[in-house]
Amino acid sequence: MKTLYIHLGTPKTGTTAIQEFLDQNSDVLYKKGYIFRYMPFHKYATKTRRIPKRRNGYFLHGDKQTQLSDPDANKKLLDEGLRTIDNWFREKDQ
């Protein structure tokens, strides 16, 4: 059975250090059957809103700023995130 691990954390709890470690060791992890990837949400960054590449959980909480201009934006974000994860599950056969 496939398992999805979601790594979330509030600021200043070491999440960046853990994600950097996973990123630096992604080849070794892949050989052991684990996939560490970035979600594509940094593409939504604007001049006033920075979304770091490592912000994998961004789609889970949405964005208040975007919600004001597009009420369905957070739903679209959630759907895109879940679709991305589903595609990754389908791609990996282990």
Side-chain angles (χ1 to χ4, degrees), residues 30-89:
Y30 186 83
K31 290 175 185 172
K32 295 185 178 286
Y34 296 95
I35 298 175
F36 178 75
R37 294 192 177 155
Y38 293 113
M39 296 296 279
F41 300 118
H42 60 279
K43 68 184 178 188
Y44 293 111
T46 65
K47 289 182 181 181
T48 59
R49 180 185 46 172
R50 186 174 161 265
I51 303 170
K53 185 177 166 185
R54 281 194 235 63
R55 204 71 175 269
N56 285 348
Y58 178 75
F59 74 101
L60 294 171
H61 66 73
D63 179 59
K64 292 178 187 173
Q65 190 176 19
T66 304
Q67 184 69 28
L68 296 173
S69 61
D70 181 359
D72 294 326
N74 287 335
K75 171 85 169 89
K76 292 174 193 172
L77 208 57
L78 179 62
D79 289 345
E80 182 180 352
L82 295 176
R83 242 188 342 272
T84 299
I85 291 169
D86 185 56
N87 288 337
W88 289 344
F89 261 74

